[in-house]
Amino acid sequence: MSLLFLERLPRRLTKSELLRFLEEKAGLARSRIGRIELFGSQARVEIPDGWETRAVKAIDGAAFRDQRVYAWAGAASAAGDAEDHFERLGRLLELESRAEAERALERARKRSPEEAEKSGETLIRLAVADLEAGLGGRFLVQLARRDRSPLPWTRLGVGSPVLMSPETPAPAEGARGVVCERTEQSVCVAVNALPDELDQYESWRIDLSYDDVAVDRQRMALHRSATARGDRLAELREILLGRRQPSFRPGADEPPLDPDLNRVQRDAVALALAARDVAMIHGPPGTGKTTAVVELIRRAVRRGEKVLACAPSNLAVDNLLERLLKWGERAVRLGHPARVLPELREHSLDLLVEEHDDVRLAHRLIKQSQSLFRQADRYRRARPSRDERREIRQEAKSLLADARRLESQAVEHILDTADVLCATTTGLDSEILGNRRFGLAVIDEAGQTTEPGCWIPLLRCDRVVLAGDHCQLPPTVISAEAAEGGFTVSLFERLMAFYGKQVSRRLAVQYRMHHSIMDFSSEEFYEGDLIADDSVRTHRLADREGVQATPLTESPLDFIDTAGAGFEEEMEADGESRFNRGEADVVRGKVEALFSAGLSPNEIAVIAPYAAQVRWLRQQLDHPGLEIDSVDGFQGREKEAVVISLVRSNPAGAIGFLADIRRTNVAMTRARRKLIVIGDSATLAGHPFYRRMLEYFERVQAYRTVWEEGLV
């Protein structure tokens, strides 16, 4: 039998209904279908060998209760060939890499500077405001507007790879760097080498760049994983492709190091510790996933294991590092120091090496060697003979070799004495790590990275634990062709569909949201399993000191319907994003009302799915501390009150990428005590998910109209 994988299935689906669907769409007789396993919105079905291509072609994209089903088989199935799987991933990686390069070229050459800046991926008309050395021998270039005006809204944040180049009519090479600091007035870029033209030009620009080093590391990891034979990597590969079953040790009844862990968190950690090969921690919003991951890492260290702690983003890695350091763990951060939060940089490998006693001595030896080289080359009346110059140069080379050896020893000592190494999945450098292996690799936020990135840490570990939530933000994929080929299916999501509860535990107690904010997400994405802890179950804005008790602050939930108000969406001039002036006015009114009730700006977030609406709202709401951003910008974060503008309003009922309901799940679960959603029911209700959302708001008496609210 072969395996057929299905996702985005209707909720509360029965096996009988799925069988009928397979019969009708793929022509598969019930008698020929083997075991069916359901995992929420996903399923794994045994089908006869040779039916994979026909079944996928018939089912992929087919409508099932008004939802489009996604199907795949073959390479990801138990019968699939490992090399075929990695060949497919490699092809999709190349498509994505090419799309990233083309987008970078378009930013630099095809758009006008003003259009590029408006996209949020470029800053123009910059001048060098300051220059200094720092961050492990790199150079820090501070750039600000030439007219000293504040910087516009931008996607360029700390850790973003950028290309810094002079503003000239003809393209200039410039220098690659990383944003290490950003304020309202300036941006600081760390570069390994200063551009030759730094003193020649007054005006500069920085553009978001792509990380070609990360792509190369993924290529290498895929090749090694596909060709591994007779080692631990080959064994893990067979398990992660479903060709061998994972195994577990007998569970040990160990007391937790963190006494505040709830029962479900303890069970998840226990399963992960018992896993010989792979385990998964499924963490819905607010359920303390990172707390469980940190407990797992600490317990593994107590067992004498070296741990590699990874995540796809620098911010997620820093979050892990910060938690580990608070517990007193010996953890070291790998990667470019500019990509590390300023308060954690002293724990980065580069800066730890700079402070090491051996490296201080190495710096003195380097200075001595440079002095000897100059002495050998200097012209004097009594110039040294050829033999003397040779001896001087040889001594200089010997000093330089001693310095490099001391530097290498310092790196080795720091890495060897650390219990946990923290890095992004694509930030693992073989030149630094050498042949080091780890008893355990933990990949946090594993649902947000494409699969090739996960195979980089898998090269170095004996077992792996993936933590994340495939019901929240998926991997970001630019190439439409790669997305259609399944590149947005993360390793976490694939294994969840393949093994499900056999290797995973879902955390169920959440510590963030009022239960009314939580319940819809719980019903739609988590089979109604989520439970609000007593500490947050009924908390409201009105319960906070200094907040007035008003209808707005006493209720946890509001949907403001704009249908019929004429608040139609508009397309930006460049045709790339949408905004809605009418909804922005409603957002402004609600935010001002929250201010009047006693909330401070830093307790409120405004979220919009479209960059154009984010830009428009920032123009309308200029309050220091008030955060206005896209859904991606708020992943993993929370605020006391959240206002969401859904933007889409049109006669055709088109909702664009609002159809990726996982993003809406993220947006709606950022609020602790108050959630306000603003949208056009006439446009939204054509989609089954949003129709159920509207029904939920009505059921909990949180549905309002702009007329009831006096907003038109």
Side-chain angles (χ1 to χ4, degrees), residues 561-568 582 586 649 680 706-707 711-712:
D561 191 354
T562 66
F567 294 171
E568 291 202 359
V586 179
S649 178
D680 180 347
V706 285
W707 286 276
L711 297 169
V712 289

Side-chain angles (χ1 to χ4, degrees), residues 520-534:
F520 178 70
S521 174
S522 179
E523 291 175 8
E524 285 291 319
F525 296 95
Y526 310 108
E527 288 78 52
D529 284 349
L530 298 192
I531 301 167
D533 186 74
D534 288 342

Side-chain angles (χ1 to χ4, degrees), residues 93-94 96-98 100-101 104 161-163 176-178 208-220 339 426 456:
L93 177 64
E94 294 306 319
E96 179 66 6
S97 175
R98 197 179 308 142
E100 288 181 348
V162 294
L163 178 65
R176 292 188 180 275
V178 175
L208 184 65
S209 183
Y210 65 96
D211 194 342
D212 50 356
V213 173
V215 174
D216 287 341
R217 288 172 180 164
Q218 291 175 81
R219 287 192 191 104
M220 179 273 296
R339 290 185 164 124
T426 57
I456 301 174

Side-chain angles (χ1 to χ4, degrees), residues 345-411:
R345 283 178 187 159
E346 62 184 288
H347 301 280
S348 68
L349 178 62
D350 284 43
L351 298 199
L352 288 170
V353 168
E354 287 290 326
E355 296 299 317
H356 198 279
D357 290 340
D358 285 352
V359 173
R360 289 196 180 101
L361 174 58
H363 288 169
R364 290 196 292 271
L365 293 178
I366 290 171
K367 287 182 179 178
Q368 292 176 30
S369 70
Q370 290 172 340
S371 177
L372 288 171
F373 277 123
R374 287 193 297 269
Q375 180 181 337
D377 294 334
R378 188 178 298 136
Y379 285 91
R380 299 180 303 180
R381 285 187 178 180
R383 185 181 180 185
S385 66
R386 180 175 298 176
D387 289 342
E388 288 175 319
R389 291 201 303 274
R390 185 183 301 113
E391 289 176 5
I392 293 172
R393 289 196 182 100
Q394 191 58 44
E395 183 181 356
K397 289 179 181 178
S398 177
L399 289 173
L400 199 56
D402 288 342
R404 298 306 180 211
R405 187 165 55 252
L406 287 171
E407 288 178 339
S408 178
Q409 288 174 1
V411 171

